[in-house]
Amino acid sequence: LFFFILNNISSSYAFLIYKDVSNKANINDNINLINNLKIGIVDFRNILKESMTMKKLGKEFLQFERRLNEKIKKQEKILRDKEFKLSSNKTKISNERFNKEKNNLNKEITNLQKFAFAEKKELNLSFQLIQKKLRDILASIIKSISKEKKIDFVVLKENIFLINNFDLDLTNEALKKFDEKTSNLKIHFVKKKGK
């Protein structure tokens, strides 16, 4: 009986040692697997920020916004002048006519506010759509570069704590291809319903 117990203990111990060695082998396999992976790094945000296309579209957006604001300011001035003229004539016209003109003026003010809100919303949405398209194009370019270079996975630069090998950085190559592919893009306005 004593021999049987000793034999079982020895078998159990041998099994534990085997499992420990097996786990170490798996860890070593994982380390080798990681060492054999080809990793790329890309600064996605910086490409979008520094690209000629984004700078051009940003300027285009600001021009559209400035023209829209000028148009709204002109209309506001016209309405303010009408309001001033109406107030000046209050004692010269009947209450009924004054109230009617005041109501018409209030409707014009409301219509201008609606117009301004709708136009700004359309402009912002149009810019958001072109930005999304650009992000999708950039992702496609990065994927294409990584396939060409047989890279197993690409990591965003902002998620990296330390980089020792800058040959892994695909940012400049991706930026160049991105600018080439997107140079003709423009902001296209989203069509509003009922336009």
Side-chain angles (χ1 to χ4, degrees):
L1 184 64
F2 180 71
F3 176 74
F4 178 74
I5 291 169
L6 259 172
N7 195 19
N8 280 346
I9 290 170
S10 295
S11 299
S12 299
Y13 182 68
F15 180 71
L16 289 173
I17 289 172
Y18 168 75
K19 276 192 89 158
D20 190 43
V21 169
S22 169
N23 285 341
K24 283 181 183 171
N26 284 341
I27 289 167
N28 287 337
D29 286 347
N30 289 341
I31 289 168
N32 288 337
L33 183 63
I34 290 168
N35 287 338
N36 291 331
L37 281 177
K38 202 165 178 193
I39 300 168
I41 298 164
V42 72
D43 195 338
F44 201 90
R45 287 183 195 161
N46 195 54
I47 292 172
L48 290 174
K49 182 180 155 195
E50 294 300 320
S51 82
M52 298 306 293
T53 303
M54 279 303 283
K55 288 176 181 176
K56 180 187 80 172
L57 290 173
K59 286 178 185 174
E60 194 178 316
F61 172 81
L62 291 174
Q63 286 173 349
F64 283 130
E65 189 177 47
R66 189 171 52 248
R67 276 184 284 204
L68 177 60
N69 287 335
E70 286 169 4
K71 188 177 182 179
I72 291 165
K73 280 179 185 174
K74 280 181 186 175
Q75 290 301 314
E76 285 174 343
K77 187 182 182 323
I78 290 168
L79 292 175
R80 273 196 304 275
D81 290 346
K82 279 185 179 182
E83 189 175 33
F84 178 75
K85 188 177 177 185
L86 183 62
S87 294
S88 300
N89 290 335
K90 186 176 182 179
T91 55
K92 298 174 186 171
I93 58 175
S94 69
N95 279 345
E96 187 180 323
R97 185 173 167 198
F98 175 80
N99 289 335
K100 186 179 178 183
E101 287 187 26
K102 179 92 171 161
N103 284 339
N104 288 340
L105 184 60
N106 286 338
K107 283 178 187 173
E108 285 185 67
I109 291 168
T110 301
N111 287 339
L112 179 60
Q113 288 170 340
K114 285 179 184 176
F115 168 81
F117 178 78
E119 291 294 310
K120 286 180 180 182
K121 185 177 177 183
E122 181 181 355
L123 178 60
N124 287 327
L125 183 58
S126 300
F127 193 60
Q128 286 169 10
L129 287 174
I130 193 78
Q131 285 178 313
K132 185 194 179 310
K133 185 174 185 175
L134 290 169
R135 285 192 299 269
D136 291 346
I137 290 170
L138 180 54
S140 170
I141 288 168
I142 292 166
K143 186 175 184 179
S144 173
I145 291 170
S146 68
K147 280 185 176 179
E148 284 170 24
K149 295 182 179 260
K150 294 184 168 91
I151 292 172
D152 295 301
F153 65 92
V154 178
V155 183
L156 293 176
K157 199 168 190 176
E158 61 259 28
N159 295 331
I160 303 289
F161 175 69
L162 179 67
I163 302 170
N164 290 322
N165 183 355
F166 289 95
D167 292 337
L168 302 172
D169 197 336
L170 310 173
T171 303
N172 290 335
E173 185 178 350
L175 174 59
K176 186 179 175 191
K177 288 187 177 184
F178 179 73
D179 274 336
E180 287 169 7
K181 194 167 186 173
T182 60
S183 62
N184 294 327
L185 284 179
K186 294 181 184 292
I187 297 173
H188 294 287
F189 285 92
V190 177
K191 300 290 178 215
K192 291 185 293 202
K193 290 177 184 174
K195 236 187 172 185

